[in-house]
Amino acid sequence: MAKRLLVTYALWALGGPVGLHHVYLGRDSHALLWMLTLGGFGVGWLWDFWQLPGWVARANDARVPQRPGPEPPALSPVRFFGQLLVGIYFGLVALLCHSSLPGFYLLALPLAVGLGVHAVSAVGDQTSDLGNTLTAAFLTSPLFYGRALAILPISLTASVTAQQCRRYKTCRGTSETLSVRLYRLGLAYLAFTVPLAYCAFSNTAATASYVADAIGAVLGWLSFFPALGSSLEQLLLLPYRTWRLLAEGVGFGAGSFQEWEKVYEFVRSFQSERQQLAYQVLGLQEGAPVEEIHKSYRELVKLWHPDHNRHRAAEAERRFIEVQAAYESLVQPRKPKPA
């Protein structure tokens, strides 16, 4: 049955974050990924808007194109960073749900990260070698045994391997009925979400503690990119503010959600702590006016510029980066918002 563009856009608008338009077009791998990440963390769902006409045209093309020769698909930075991000996401979920299992860091963690990377590599008309991707993840995990930070290098190694093994799928489309496809998607979705839901509501305090530690680690990695870190903080605080608004309206705020409130309060504290540190780096009192911030920044930039400190290049570079990061973290929030 021919796919209609208008129907596709309607499904995108009504159920895009859970991949309804991808189910309609027969892109089950993409649909599952959207279900597990809520539309590629929202960004992917918005990006789909411009891709729908091409996907509808390909879905309506009954011919299966023969790829010319054994050449692999072109390297895609977007797909690579998607693999890296989803691999980290799957690893964090595994850390929350299964970290108490024996051999978690050698078995469950690399398996989860590898599957997350492969889920992205299988989107559309491309795929990669699952065996090689998992092998890379399993070989990397012992090097960082027992560390939550292991998620990042495992995902990076698996993503690089998946890109090296990328290829076109041998065929496109499927002859399975819609009910069979939905059954398979449902099983995969439940396998991912049921352990997460159990931890969130039955072991709330421990889960909230893990989430807080993970958020702290991620924000720590972004300490030298204040604008990106600030945007991430606002994104993480959005569910908290929405929930507080709803809770105040209906009088709901007890039980396990109190533990999650601590997590979001923890995220809120990051911004104030970072600003206090930034004032210290610039040698200013907290709450100093913008003019003093600019003046101190200009003086310290001249003082620690690497070209003026060749006799202590390493220290100068470190101080120069610290001054830049401190200045951005204080000035960025004060920039006037566009009308």
Side-chain angles (χ1 to χ4, degrees):
M1 184 175 65
K3 306 300 181 182
R4 298 181 180 276
L5 183 60
L6 183 60
V7 175
T8 306
Y9 271 111
L11 292 174
W12 172 87
L14 296 174
V18 294
L20 289 186
H21 55 299
H22 290 303
V23 174
Y24 175 68
L25 296 175
R27 300 168 59 88
D28 289 354
S29 297
H30 211 157
L32 178 61
L33 183 64
W34 259 216
M35 292 177 185
L36 300 181
T37 63
L38 289 180
F41 310 106
V43 178
W45 169 63
L46 296 175
W47 178 255
D48 284 353
F49 182 86
W50 289 272
Q51 307 296 321
L52 293 182
W55 289 339
V56 171
R58 286 195 290 271
N60 288 328
D61 186 1
R63 298 169 297 172
V64 179
Q66 298 295 326
R67 299 294 177 184
E71 292 297 323
L75 181 65
S76 171
V78 174
R79 186 179 293 262
F80 173 78
F81 285 110
Q83 291 171 341
L84 179 63
L85 183 60
V86 174
I88 293 173
Y89 171 62
F90 273 47
L92 290 174
V93 171
L95 185 66
L96 291 174
C97 303
H98 306 297
S99 59
S100 61
L101 294 176
F104 167 78
Y105 287 96
L106 295 177
L107 298 175
L109 182 61
L111 177 62
V113 174
L115 290 176
V117 170
H118 185 73
V120 179
S121 68
V123 166
D125 60 352
Q126 298 184 28
T127 187
S128 65
D129 191 287
L130 176 60
N132 287 340
T133 301
L134 292 179
T135 298
F138 279 110
L139 291 178
T140 306
S141 61
L143 302 177
F144 303 90
Y145 181 81
R147 302 178 183 177
L149 189 63
I151 297 172
L152 179 60
I154 294 174
S155 183
L156 179 60
T157 305
S159 299
V160 171
T161 303
Q163 284 291 307
Q164 291 177 338
C165 300
R166 66 189 184 279
R167 65 174 187 273
Y168 289 110
K169 293 178 179 176
T170 54
C171 60
R172 191 183 66 207
T174 177
S175 59
E176 294 177 333
T177 63
L178 178 61
S179 59
V180 172
R181 292 167 51 211
L182 291 177
Y183 175 73
R184 294 174 59 184
L185 286 172
L187 287 181
Y189 180 78
L190 290 175
F192 183 90
T193 57
V194 167
L196 185 60
Y198 174 81
C199 291
F201 293 101
S202 298
N203 195 16
T204 308
T207 305
S209 177
Y210 272 122
V211 171
D213 291 343
I215 291 174
V218 172
L219 294 178
W221 298 339
L222 299 176
S223 60
F224 290 109
F225 305 95
L228 182 59
S230 179
S231 300
L232 180 60
E233 287 173 10
Q234 298 304 317
L235 180 63
L236 292 171
L237 286 171
L238 182 61
Y240 166 76
R241 290 167 177 158
T242 304
W243 172 72
R244 283 297 298 269
L245 182 63
L246 295 175
E248 292 175 0
V250 299
F252 176 76
S256 60
F257 286 97
Q258 291 179 348
E259 296 292 342
W260 292 107
E261 185 174 1
K262 297 177 183 178
V263 177
Y264 291 112
E265 292 290 354
F266 168 80
V267 177
R268 291 180 66 184
S269 70
F270 252 80
Q271 198 166 37
S272 61
E273 291 179 3
R274 188 178 61 195
Q275 288 191 355
Q276 292 175 5
L277 180 60
Y279 282 117
Q280 293 178 10
V281 171
L282 295 179
L284 299 172
Q285 295 291 329
E286 188 173 352
V290 178
E291 293 76 12
E292 291 188 16
I293 294 175
H294 290 319
K295 180 180 178 182
S296 178
Y297 167 72
R298 289 192 294 266
E299 292 176 352
L300 290 173
V301 162
K302 293 179 181 178
L303 177 63
W304 291 111
H305 197 285
D307 291 344
H308 303 157
N309 296 272
R310 298 185 183 278
H311 59 291
R312 46 178 180 176
E315 180 184 3
E317 183 177 1
R318 177 177 60 83
R319 293 291 186 89
F320 186 79
I321 293 175
E322 288 179 353
V323 170
Q324 291 276 8
Y327 175 74
E328 290 181 16
S329 67
L330 293 178
V331 174
Q332 183 74 19
R334 304 187 185 201
K335 289 182 179 179
K337 296 181 180 180

